[in-house]
Amino acid sequence: AAYALQANYPNPFNPTTTLSFSLDQAQEVELNVFDMKGNHVKSLYSGYAGAGQHAIRFDAYDASGMELTAGIYFYTLRSNRGISTQRMTLLK
């Protein structure tokens, strides 16, 4: 599998969406969600991930358990290959 951060599905979403990424080799990765201002909203995954396809559900709640407001959010995949970013829209 090639290294890639795919578009979330569904997008726009309410209340859940799936964030997918593929890795060409096993490595440490972080998958995080940020708001429009660049504030960290939630860490969805942090740790070692094997090569291949990965899918993580996002439920539109922040790290403290508060429901997110409608709007545009960004999610980033950070690894030894750098940082990839995608955009998603939460509808209410």
PDB file of all heavy atoms in Angstrom, residues 13-29:
ATOM      1  N   PHE A  13     -20.461  15.210   7.240  1.00  0.00           N
ATOM      2  CA  PHE A  13     -20.900  14.137   8.117  1.00  0.00           C
ATOM      3  C   PHE A  13     -21.722  14.647   9.283  1.00  0.00           C
ATOM      4  O   PHE A  13     -21.657  15.812   9.645  1.00  0.00           O
ATOM      5  CB  PHE A  13     -19.706  13.323   8.631  1.00  0.00           C
ATOM      6  CG  PHE A  13     -18.835  14.060   9.617  1.00  0.00           C
ATOM      7  CD1 PHE A  13     -18.969  13.835  10.981  1.00  0.00           C
ATOM      8  CD2 PHE A  13     -17.866  14.940   9.191  1.00  0.00           C
ATOM      9  CE1 PHE A  13     -18.162  14.492  11.891  1.00  0.00           C
ATOM     10  CE2 PHE A  13     -17.047  15.594  10.103  1.00  0.00           C
ATOM     11  CZ  PHE A  13     -17.204  15.375  11.452  1.00  0.00           C
ATOM     12  N   ASN A  14     -22.544  13.763   9.842  1.00  0.00           N
ATOM     13  CA  ASN A  14     -23.301  13.992  11.068  1.00  0.00           C
ATOM     14  C   ASN A  14     -23.954  12.678  11.456  1.00  0.00           C
ATOM     15  O   ASN A  14     -24.793  12.201  10.718  1.00  0.00           O
ATOM     16  CB  ASN A  14     -24.361  15.079  10.873  1.00  0.00           C
ATOM     17  CG  ASN A  14     -25.184  15.313  12.141  1.00  0.00           C
ATOM     18  OD1 ASN A  14     -24.768  14.921  13.226  1.00  0.00           O
ATOM     19  ND2 ASN A  14     -26.335  15.923  11.988  1.00  0.00           N
ATOM     20  N   PRO A  15     -23.636  12.049  12.562  1.00  0.00           N
ATOM     21  CA  PRO A  15     -22.679  12.557  13.543  1.00  0.00           C
ATOM     22  C   PRO A  15     -21.307  11.892  13.469  1.00  0.00           C
ATOM     23  O   PRO A  15     -20.400  12.293  14.168  1.00  0.00           O
ATOM     24  CB  PRO A  15     -23.347  12.193  14.867  1.00  0.00           C
ATOM     25  CG  PRO A  15     -24.021  10.881  14.569  1.00  0.00           C
ATOM     26  CD  PRO A  15     -24.442  10.958  13.108  1.00  0.00           C
ATOM     27  N   THR A  16     -21.146  10.834  12.641  1.00  0.00           N
ATOM     28  CA  THR A  16     -19.857  10.143  12.606  1.00  0.00           C
ATOM     29  C   THR A  16     -19.311  10.091  11.182  1.00  0.00           C
ATOM     30  O   THR A  16     -20.052  10.160  10.202  1.00  0.00           O
ATOM     31  CB  THR A  16     -19.954   8.698  13.140  1.00  0.00           C
ATOM     32  OG1 THR A  16     -20.839   7.955  12.307  1.00  0.00           O
ATOM     33  CG2 THR A  16     -20.443   8.670  14.573  1.00  0.00           C
ATOM     34  N   THR A  17     -17.996   9.952  11.106  1.00  0.00           N
ATOM     35  CA  THR A  17     -17.314   9.799   9.831  1.00  0.00           C
ATOM     36  C   THR A  17     -16.127   8.870  10.051  1.00  0.00           C
ATOM     37  O   THR A  17     -15.707   8.640  11.186  1.00  0.00           O
ATOM     38  CB  THR A  17     -16.861  11.163   9.278  1.00  0.00           C
ATOM     39  OG1 THR A  17     -16.355  10.989   7.949  1.00  0.00           O
ATOM     40  CG2 THR A  17     -15.801  11.821  10.140  1.00  0.00           C
ATOM     41  N   THR A  18     -15.598   8.320   8.976  1.00  0.00           N
ATOM     42  CA  THR A  18     -14.448   7.425   9.061  1.00  0.00           C
ATOM     43  C   THR A  18     -13.247   8.069   8.384  1.00  0.00           C
ATOM     44  O   THR A  18     -13.346   8.520   7.241  1.00  0.00           O
ATOM     45  CB  THR A  18     -14.765   6.063   8.401  1.00  0.00           C
ATOM     46  OG1 THR A  18     -15.867   5.475   9.088  1.00  0.00           O
ATOM     47  CG2 THR A  18     -13.566   5.126   8.486  1.00  0.00           C
ATOM     48  N   LEU A  19     -12.142   8.130   9.115  1.00  0.00           N
ATOM     49  CA  LEU A  19     -10.884   8.672   8.596  1.00  0.00           C
ATOM     50  C   LEU A  19      -9.993   7.487   8.257  1.00  0.00           C
ATOM     51  O   LEU A  19      -9.771   6.616   9.103  1.00  0.00           O
ATOM     52  CB  LEU A  19     -10.215   9.562   9.642  1.00  0.00           C
ATOM     53  CG  LEU A  19     -11.108  10.617  10.303  1.00  0.00           C
ATOM     54  CD1 LEU A  19     -10.313  11.420  11.310  1.00  0.00           C
ATOM     55  CD2 LEU A  19     -11.747  11.520   9.286  1.00  0.00           C
ATOM     56  N   SER A  20      -9.487   7.450   7.037  1.00  0.00           N
ATOM     57  CA  SER A  20      -8.678   6.316   6.586  1.00  0.00           C
ATOM     58  C   SER A  20      -7.298   6.773   6.144  1.00  0.00           C
ATOM     59  O   SER A  20      -7.138   7.855   5.586  1.00  0.00           O
ATOM     60  CB  SER A  20      -9.361   5.612   5.410  1.00  0.00           C
ATOM     61  OG  SER A  20     -10.623   5.124   5.785  1.00  0.00           O
ATOM     62  N   PHE A  21      -6.324   5.908   6.406  1.00  0.00           N
ATOM     63  CA  PHE A  21      -4.974   6.165   5.905  1.00  0.00           C
ATOM     64  C   PHE A  21      -4.303   4.834   5.601  1.00  0.00           C
ATOM     65  O   PHE A  21      -4.694   3.797   6.134  1.00  0.00           O
ATOM     66  CB  PHE A  21      -4.144   6.995   6.899  1.00  0.00           C
ATOM     67  CG  PHE A  21      -3.914   6.359   8.242  1.00  0.00           C
ATOM     68  CD1 PHE A  21      -2.782   5.612   8.512  1.00  0.00           C
ATOM     69  CD2 PHE A  21      -4.838   6.545   9.265  1.00  0.00           C
ATOM     70  CE1 PHE A  21      -2.567   5.047   9.763  1.00  0.00           C
ATOM     71  CE2 PHE A  21      -4.637   5.990  10.518  1.00  0.00           C
ATOM     72  CZ  PHE A  21      -3.492   5.235  10.763  1.00  0.00           C
ATOM     73  N   SER A  22      -3.338   4.876   4.712  1.00  0.00           N
ATOM     74  CA  SER A  22      -2.575   3.673   4.393  1.00  0.00           C
ATOM     75  C   SER A  22      -1.097   3.969   4.572  1.00  0.00           C
ATOM     76  O   SER A  22      -0.633   5.091   4.353  1.00  0.00           O
ATOM     77  CB  SER A  22      -2.875   3.196   2.970  1.00  0.00           C
ATOM     78  OG  SER A  22      -2.631   4.223   2.039  1.00  0.00           O
ATOM     79  N   LEU A  23      -0.381   2.940   5.002  1.00  0.00           N
ATOM     80  CA  LEU A  23       1.055   3.052   5.268  1.00  0.00           C
ATOM     81  C   LEU A  23       1.804   2.036   4.415  1.00  0.00           C
ATOM     82  O   LEU A  23       1.379   0.888   4.309  1.00  0.00           O
ATOM     83  CB  LEU A  23       1.346   2.783   6.747  1.00  0.00           C
ATOM     84  CG  LEU A  23       0.643   3.697   7.758  1.00  0.00           C
ATOM     85  CD1 LEU A  23       0.936   3.224   9.175  1.00  0.00           C
ATOM     86  CD2 LEU A  23       1.082   5.136   7.569  1.00  0.00           C
ATOM     87  N   ASP A  24       2.901   2.470   3.827  1.00  0.00           N
ATOM     88  CA  ASP A  24       3.707   1.554   3.032  1.00  0.00           C
ATOM     89  C   ASP A  24       4.659   0.740   3.904  1.00  0.00           C
ATOM     90  O   ASP A  24       5.213  -0.258   3.462  1.00  0.00           O
ATOM     91  CB  ASP A  24       4.478   2.307   1.942  1.00  0.00           C
ATOM     92  CG  ASP A  24       5.317   3.444   2.496  1.00  0.00           C
ATOM     93  OD1 ASP A  24       5.237   3.741   3.710  1.00  0.00           O
ATOM     94  OD2 ASP A  24       6.057   4.056   1.709  1.00  0.00           O
ATOM     95  N   GLN A  25       4.822   1.173   5.155  1.00  0.00           N
ATOM     96  CA  GLN A  25       5.654   0.423   6.109  1.00  0.00           C
ATOM     97  C   GLN A  25       5.172   0.714   7.518  1.00  0.00           C
ATOM     98  O   GLN A  25       4.554   1.743   7.763  1.00  0.00           O
ATOM     99  CB  GLN A  25       7.121   0.810   5.957  1.00  0.00           C
ATOM    100  CG  GLN A  25       7.386   2.277   6.258  1.00  0.00           C
ATOM    101  CD  GLN A  25       8.826   2.679   5.933  1.00  0.00           C
ATOM    102  OE1 GLN A  25       9.429   2.144   5.013  1.00  0.00           O
ATOM    103  NE2 GLN A  25       9.360   3.613   6.680  1.00  0.00           N
ATOM    104  N   ALA A  26       5.445  -0.208   8.432  1.00  0.00           N
ATOM    105  CA  ALA A  26       5.054  -0.011   9.826  1.00  0.00           C
ATOM    106  C   ALA A  26       5.836   1.161  10.399  1.00  0.00           C
ATOM    107  O   ALA A  26       7.022   1.325  10.114  1.00  0.00           O
ATOM    108  CB  ALA A  26       5.340  -1.277  10.624  1.00  0.00           C
ATOM    109  N   GLN A  27       5.152   2.003  11.195  1.00  0.00           N
ATOM    110  CA  GLN A  27       5.802   3.185  11.756  1.00  0.00           C
ATOM    111  C   GLN A  27       4.935   3.817  12.835  1.00  0.00           C
ATOM    112  O   GLN A  27       3.767   3.490  12.973  1.00  0.00           O
ATOM    113  CB  GLN A  27       6.088   4.212  10.661  1.00  0.00           C
ATOM    114  CG  GLN A  27       4.850   4.667   9.910  1.00  0.00           C
ATOM    115  CD  GLN A  27       5.205   5.383   8.631  1.00  0.00           C
ATOM    116  OE1 GLN A  27       5.739   6.477   8.670  1.00  0.00           O
ATOM    117  NE2 GLN A  27       4.925   4.754   7.507  1.00  0.00           N
ATOM    118  N   GLU A  28       5.527   4.740  13.578  1.00  0.00           N
ATOM    119  CA  GLU A  28       4.794   5.533  14.565  1.00  0.00           C
ATOM    120  C   GLU A  28       3.989   6.589  13.828  1.00  0.00           C
ATOM    121  O   GLU A  28       4.523   7.274  12.950  1.00  0.00           O
ATOM    122  CB  GLU A  28       5.770   6.219  15.527  1.00  0.00           C
ATOM    123  CG  GLU A  28       6.537   5.275  16.429  1.00  0.00           C
ATOM    124  CD  GLU A  28       5.705   4.739  17.576  1.00  0.00           C
ATOM    125  OE1 GLU A  28       4.785   5.451  18.044  1.00  0.00           O
ATOM    126  OE2 GLU A  28       5.964   3.601  18.003  1.00  0.00           O
ATOM    127  N   VAL A  29       2.715   6.718  14.180  1.00  0.00           N
ATOM    128  CA  VAL A  29       1.871   7.730  13.548  1.00  0.00           C
ATOM    129  C   VAL A  29       0.998   8.406  14.595  1.00  0.00           C
ATOM    130  O   VAL A  29       0.754   7.859  15.677  1.00  0.00           O
ATOM    131  CB  VAL A  29       0.965   7.142  12.433  1.00  0.00           C
ATOM    132  CG1 VAL A  29       1.784   6.598  11.291  1.00  0.00           C
ATOM    133  CG2 VAL A  29       0.032   6.100  12.994  1.00  0.00           C
TER     134      VAL A  29
END
